[in-house]
Amino acid sequence: MTYRPFIAFSILFAALASPAFAGIDDTINSITAPIASLIGQIVFFKIPVFGAQLPLVVLWLVVGAVFFTFYMGFVSLRGFKHAIELVRGDYSNPNDAGEVSHFQALATAVSGTVGIGNIGGVAVAVTVGGPGATFWMILAGFLGMSTKFVECTLGVKYRQENPDGSVSGGPMYFMRDGLAAQGRAGLSKFMGTFYAVGIFIGALGIGNMFQSNQAYVQLNTVAGGALDGLGWLVGLILAGVVFSVIIGGIKSIAAVTEKVVPFMAVLYCVFAIIVILMNGAFIPAAIGNIFSGALTPEGVAGGALGALIIGFQRAVFSNEAGIGSASIAHSAVRTNEPVTEGYVSLLEPFIDTIVICTITALVIGTTQVAAPGFAGDATGVAMTSAAFERQISWFPYVLAIAALLFAFSTMISWSYYGLKGWTYLFGESTQTLYKLIFCAFVALGCMVQLGPILDISDALVFLICVPNILALYFLAPVVKREMNSYMERIKSGEIKKYKA
Amino acid sequence: MLNKFLVAVEGSAGSRRAVNHAIEHAKASNAELVLAHVIDWSPYSFHTPEELSARHKRREEELTRAKDIVLAPIMKLVEDAGVKSSAEVRHGKGAETLAEMAKEHEVAQIIAGRSGESGVSTMLFGTTSSKLVQISSVPVLIVP
């Protein structure tokens, strides 16, 4: 019974694909490209500043992140040690054993954000914005830590318990209930709904098409182009696997992925560091380029501002600070102190952007110094792959597997985020429809080219952060009160460590 | 105050033998028993967001099942034998959690079966009993 929708889905796809197998990718591409550029133009309304094109939404996110960094008194620095103590379980009450731990919430949120963006997105940033984009990316990661702190605290504070005993939380709930508590009833309803629509559509872009697209590109690269024009087939297989997990309920696939992904992430970092060390002689030059490129980039449209914009854009796309997705993942933690999840979550942009993205940027950066133009026309994940290949010839295969797993785990996480938006809007009864749409977009992602995909996903992501950041401004005083009260009780010894 | 024994309880025959032995022991030295059941769980594991959102509900179910199915018959057995007892279920790693509970309840010794026979019980016993011997701060009695 469970598989009937999948059969119908496959037939539909086969029917779509039958007229011209090889031509289908081109056809889909030509249909989606104009739509993508239209969406891109609307959401990325750009203002020209000193010759650079500054998308309003990037400005929106950066201003937000800077504000929260100052408003929360640099919690990203002051709270860092406490965050690690929380994750280590120093403050966990043994009586709560068996509930979701801080570590589990963090690991789940991180495996949702560590995706192709960390491998491919960084390459895109470095190609377009020059090495200097890396500097701005790291800075954006640091600022994003405070945004995450605010949104994840609110996610826990305003989550709701469902009749079946499970919990739902995230921006749509803190907008609805948090803003309503401030007497903004009309606004709260509107924004909750706006966000829910945004996260549903966003789940199809950043958490779906971009991921499956880059997984296909990397597979095709290691296959030596043997999969050219077969994007529809790879897409269909990938969609089938996602389908089996989110609709078929085959938990074992998800369980295996959840365990393998952290392992792959560590493996990726270890090999990246090995490659960087093998390029050892070029490390100082690469780091020099990052700093000099940050302020005086060569050949980057818009100069320093151009590099800054691209760096910030890719950082947000990768660590999702300000998007509100992590807020959904963290809301599952049961705690009397919502602010503890805020502390834990500020580690995510750190791990994702400041550690993993920087490592990728250094792999590419040192290779660029050693062998300029090493990647030819390749960009995205293919470029990162080429940088690894220069030192470790077989690594692209490992990277292909890692990319596939990262893409897969990100898709599984995002299918849930999108689902929460969908059920907020339409209730629980229409879940299967949402999941079918989600699977269709997985397949679609493999058929279109990176450019339009990136435009669509970026555009959709930023669509979500407009209402999210706005709500964070309104609710930041609530978080600040919680944070101050919590810190006072830590200092006074009212909240104690359970472990010595 | 020292006449209190902690008994590791799970659904297996090996555990039942340990309980029977503990009852005899308790009768002889006029001690009371703390019946402890550990549900295998680690705070450092990986899950999907969906699993996390249902975790609290699952935990409640696990605790109820442990109390009703694993502990209830043992408690009755102990009560019928005329020995005073209390029971506790906890999530965690078998040996570490039992050792912690032994400390908290200030028991004189821990009594545990050597090995479980069902698949689930291998989580608690098997290597767990030897680990318990290594880390416990009170004497451990392993019942074959």
Side-chain angles (χ1 to χ4, degrees), chain A residues 88 98-99 101 104 108 164, chain B residues 43-45 47 55-57:
Chain A
R88 221 163 46 188
E99 297 283 3
S101 68
Q104 288 166 342
T108 300
D164 71 348
Chain B
Y44 306 109
S45 53
H47 304 276
R55 181 61 217 161
H56 176 65
K57 190 178 91 187

Side-chain angles (χ1 to χ4, degrees), chain A residues 230-311:
Chain A
L230 290 175
W232 61 273
L233 182 64
V234 176
L236 198 58
I237 294 170
L238 214 51
V241 181
V242 172
F243 181 97
S244 69
V245 174
I246 66 174
I247 301 180
I250 301 182
K251 295 246 161 50
S252 52
I253 298 178
V256 168
T257 320
E258 291 303 315
K259 284 173 184 64
V260 174
V261 162
F263 171 73
M264 288 306 271
V266 172
L267 194 76
Y268 174 79
C269 289
V270 168
F271 275 93
I273 290 168
I274 292 174
V275 169
I276 295 167
L277 292 177
M278 288 168 89
N279 295 341
F282 310 102
I283 296 174
I287 293 177
N289 284 346
I290 289 175
F291 284 101
S292 65
L295 298 170
T296 50
E298 286 164 29
V300 175
L305 199 61
L308 179 147
I309 292 165
I310 285 152

Side-chain angles (χ1 to χ4, degrees), chain A residues 87-89 95-101 103-105 107-108 161 164-167 251 254 258-259 262 329 332 334 412-413 416-417 499, chain B residues 39-63 88-92 97 100 104:
Chain A
V87 173
R88 221 163 46 188
N95 291 330
D96 293 337
E99 297 283 3
V100 177
S101 68
F103 177 88
Q104 288 166 342
T108 300
E161 201 148 325
D164 71 348
S166 63
V167 289
K251 295 246 161 50
E258 291 303 315
K259 284 173 184 64
R334 291 181 78 86
I412 298 296
S413 291
Y416 178 76
Y417 301 154
K499 280 183 200 161
Chain B
I39 300 168
D40 189 62
W41 177 81
S42 164
Y44 306 109
S45 53
F46 301 95
H47 304 276
T48 62
E50 199 158 9
E51 285 166 339
L52 294 191
S53 73
R55 181 61 217 161
H56 176 65
K57 190 178 91 187
R58 284 264 313 281
R59 178 181 186 257
E60 303 283 290
E61 286 165 4
E62 285 168 2
L63 290 176
E88 200 179 333
V89 187
R90 217 179 262 190
H91 282 82
T97 311
E100 261 168 40
E104 280 167 35

Side-chain angles (χ1 to χ4, degrees), chain B residues 69-81:
Chain B
I69 296 172
V70 183
L71 281 173
I74 301 291
M75 283 170 78
K76 185 160 189 321
L77 193 77
V78 175
E79 199 190 324
D80 290 349

